[in-house]
Amino acid sequence: MVWAAGAARAARRIAAAAALGGGGLTALGATAYGLLIAEGLLARRTIGTPHGLDGPPSDGLYGDGEGPPLKMAMLGDSTSVGLGMTDPGRTPAVLIACGLAAVAERPVDLRVVGKSGAPSADLGEQVDAVLTNPPDVAVIFVGANDVITKTPPATAVRHLIKAVRRLREAGAEVVVGTCPDLGTVRPIAQPLRWVARRWSRQIAAAQTVAVVEAGGRTVAFADLLGHEFHANPGEMFGPDRFHPSDRGYAQAAYAVLPSVCAALGLWPEPRPEPGEGLQPIYLAAATAAEEPGTEVSATRVDGRTTGAHGRWATLFRRRRLGGQLNDA
């Protein structure tokens, strides 16, 4: 578990810098940062242009049943809007809304305010739009553009903290899909792929700390699609070889759906496997960043939210078995 301890220390440094207003580099350092800038430009030249500048219009009422509609908001970057899709029904927001409606047996009023290319700094404007009619639950997919735009991790995390706190203060539950592993993107060559992988996961771990501290819960994307991307790149990547295909978006949506339902009290919390369960938040965040589909949320131990090593968190993995969602 040496790797986890090191990742936990990096997450702690980034989260602390975010809280104190700093914006320092990650543990990868300035050399890797310069490499990311230089080779990132080369990678972008090999990535094609997706269909359109944003996903298809997806706002609307989904599902049916009795009772007033649940209000759901989708914030974030191009993955939140389903960039590359032409059918709204294949976007993550609509897939989650339809799944939520089925579980709740109530319609879901969906509002999508995410924007293609949005880094975490754009979340403030998106939250402004959402809070004109506060949702019951807000889902945020963000982080990849912070890596692409070379945003200092602590700066990116600070914007995310503010967004989550504002949503929670307005009464919304918040579920964040953390930064995906950009090392799975095929146009990115080595050694940039290794740098992107490490950078992505450090941001994801710091995001987890920040979101849980602010009252939300996270689902780690990590290399959620990594095995499928390597085995079936033509099916899991979209035409630009950077954004997911409809199958890729569905995989992400189904990983997040149980956490959305659990946040609203509609889905039973699973029993963690041996070795999982209660952990200090920094260790839980580091572990989750390496384990796709892992959810992290705050908890109490003997009535206390914190222990000797910081806030307590519950960590567990959700898996898909035989096409069905199962809690580990």
Side-chain angles (χ1 to χ4, degrees):
M1 296 296 288
V2 175
W3 60 269
R9 286 192 294 271
R12 183 190 295 269
R13 284 195 295 271
I14 295 170
L20 296 173
L25 301 178
T26 70
L28 294 178
T31 300
Y33 185 76
L35 179 66
L36 187 65
I37 294 174
E39 295 205 10
L41 295 175
L42 297 177
R44 287 300 301 173
R45 293 176 186 173
T46 68
I47 295 173
T49 301
H51 298 304
L53 299 178
D54 249 321
S58 304
D59 290 8
L61 203 62
Y62 295 91
D64 50 28
E66 299 181 357
L70 287 168
K71 292 180 290 185
M72 172 183 155
M74 191 78 174
L75 303 84
D77 56 26
S78 55
T79 56
S80 74
V81 301
L83 183 64
M85 299 295 99
T86 56
D87 178 2
R90 295 180 181 273
T91 63
V94 173
L95 290 171
I96 295 170
C98 289
L100 175 58
V103 172
E105 298 182 338
R106 291 168 58 183
V108 171
D109 186 2
L110 172 65
R111 187 178 184 191
V112 179
V113 297
K115 295 291 182 182
S116 177
S120 296
D122 290 354
L123 289 176
E125 183 178 343
Q126 295 181 20
V127 172
D128 288 343
V130 164
L131 292 186
T132 58
N133 184 18
D136 297 299
V137 62
V139 180
I140 304 174
F141 288 1
V142 76
N145 288 313
D146 293 305
V147 178
I148 294 170
T149 59
K150 292 84 68 179
T151 301
T155 300
V157 170
R158 186 161 60 251
H159 288 296
L160 180 59
I161 292 173
K162 291 179 180 178
V164 175
R165 283 178 177 166
R166 290 180 63 197
L167 290 164
R168 292 292 293 135
E169 288 169 359
E173 298 293 338
V174 181
V175 179
V176 176
T178 58
C179 183
D181 180 4
L182 296 186
T184 62
V185 178
R186 288 214 160 189
I188 299 178
Q190 296 290 14
L192 177 61
R193 183 176 295 179
W194 179 86
V195 175
R197 176 185 179 87
R198 288 291 304 279
W199 199 301
S200 301
R201 296 195 178 198
Q202 285 189 348
I203 288 182
Q207 286 178 320
T208 298
V209 174
V211 170
V212 172
E213 291 279 3
R217 63 179 72 199
T218 62
V219 177
F221 282 167
D223 60 347
L224 177 69
L225 308 177
H227 296 300
E228 289 82 357
F229 278 168
H230 286 300
N232 303 294
E235 295 181 16
M236 299 304 290
F237 274 125
D240 65 352
R241 295 192 297 156
F242 186 82
H243 292 90
S245 66
D246 55 350
R247 283 186 57 188
Y249 281 129
Q251 192 90 328
Y254 295 148
V256 170
L257 175 59
S259 298
V260 172
C261 294
L264 292 170
L266 301 170
W267 196 285
E269 299 287 5
R271 294 189 302 271
E273 291 184 346
E276 298 178 339
L278 299 176
Q279 293 186 6
I281 181 59
Y282 295 105
L283 181 58
T287 303
E290 299 289 334
E291 296 288 345
T294 301
E295 179 185 308
V296 180
S297 58
T299 191
R300 292 175 178 268
V301 176
D302 296 329
R304 304 168 72 95
T305 60
T306 60
H309 301 288
R311 179 179 290 275
W312 286 109
T314 300
L315 178 146
F316 52 85
R317 299 172 177 87
R318 300 191 188 273
R319 295 178 173 84
R320 292 190 70 206
L321 300 175
Q324 299 293 321
L325 285 163
N326 292 268
D327 289 326

